[in-house]
Amino acid sequence: KKPIELKDIFQMDNAKRKVILIEGAPGAGKSTLAWHMCQTWESGKLFQNYQTVVYVQLRDPMIQSAQSIEDLVPAKSGDQAKQVMAEFENCSGRDLLFILDGWD
């Protein structure tokens, strides 16, 4: 294993890679990195090839009881979740990045 620059995390040998796993000991900064990735996308600095980024905290009890992808969308309102799902359906999942935090 070798370190990778954040800007290169999706530019690995296999361009068709769909899953990136970030491993580390408790307290190593995995959750901080996941949140930083979202903030970096939102500020327009990196990952701009994604139209939508969804940060999912898997430790959240509401998320643990999810029955659908729509239930995974952290939204302040049902309308906001429906908007994200409409974007998901319109692009057939392309240009959409789910960041799952807490996959223990």
Side-chain angles (χ1 to χ4, degrees), residues 50-101:
Y50 295 100
Q51 180 178 343
T52 305
V53 173
V54 179
Y55 176 74
V56 180
Q57 290 181 305
L58 296 173
R59 290 183 189 96
D60 183 331
M62 294 292 290
I63 297 299
Q64 292 176 3
S65 62
Q67 299 286 320
S68 68
I69 291 177
E70 186 173 352
D71 294 341
L72 295 176
V73 177
K76 295 183 177 164
S77 70
D79 290 340
Q80 193 176 31
K82 286 182 185 0
Q83 178 184 356
V84 171
M85 289 310 299
E87 290 175 20
F88 178 71
E89 290 171 6
N90 287 338
C91 69
S92 300
R94 288 185 307 275
D95 305 324
L96 178 67
L97 174 63
F98 275 89
I99 297 178
L100 307 177
D101 182 24

Side-chain angles (χ1 to χ4, degrees), residues 3-22:
I4 323 180
E5 294 287 325
L6 184 58
K7 66 182 178 52
D8 298 327
I9 199 164
F10 298 111
Q11 307 301 321
M12 301 184 22
D13 295 336
N14 183 356
K16 295 183 182 204
R17 184 177 299 245
K18 302 289 185 192
V19 176
I20 305 286
L21 176 65
I22 299 172

Side-chain angles (χ1 to χ4, degrees), residues 41-54:
W41 172 80
E42 185 177 31
S43 68
K45 294 178 183 172
L46 285 177
F47 313 126
Q48 294 305 293
N49 51 319
Y50 295 100
Q51 180 178 343
T52 305
V53 173
V54 179

